[in-house]
Structure formats: structure tokens, C-alpha cells
Amino acid sequence: MSLSSHLQELKRKHQILSTEVEEAQRAPGIDDLRVAELKKQKLRIKEEIVRLETQTVH
């Protein structure tokens, strides 16, 4: 897998998680632990995206 396709996949996963977080927060009987875990996953992916993009610039 090339770096650009890997970045595209990470960005796609990040967007999916964003949608899941938004939906979970609007749902009645929200599970705070589930939302927190989704946000952690989203943050880890975002950090990986930034790290890879920074590497390609240098």
C-alpha cells in the first residue's frame, strides 16, 4: 500500500468515526464510555495522519 493510499484510508476512517461520534451523541441513552472510546480512536487516527503528512513534507 502506498503512503498516499494509506493516508486516504486513514482519512476515510477518521470521517467514519466523526459520523459515529455525532450519531452517538444525539442518541437517547448515550453511552459515555462508547463515545469516549470513539473519540480516542479518532484522535489516534488524526495523530497518525499528521505524523505521516509531516514525514512526507520533510
Side-chain angles (χ1 to χ4, degrees):
M1 178 182 285
S2 73
L3 181 58
S4 63
S5 62
H6 183 57
L7 277 169
Q8 286 300 102
E9 181 64 18
L10 288 173
K11 289 177 182 181
R12 186 186 70 78
K13 288 179 180 180
H14 186 267
Q15 182 57 48
I16 289 169
L17 284 170
S18 291
T19 302
E20 286 184 33
V21 167
E22 290 172 16
E23 289 174 357
Q25 289 176 329
R26 285 193 301 256
I30 183 173
D31 181 358
D32 290 336
L33 290 176
R34 175 72 178 141
V35 172
E37 181 57 36
L38 289 171
K39 287 182 176 183
K40 285 179 190 176
Q41 289 177 25
K42 186 178 161 189
L43 179 60
R44 282 192 295 268
I45 290 173
K46 182 64 174 182
E47 289 171 343
E48 180 71 3
I49 290 169
V50 169
R51 185 183 69 77
L52 291 172
E53 288 179 337
T54 303
Q55 281 182 346
T56 61
V57 172
H58 297 288

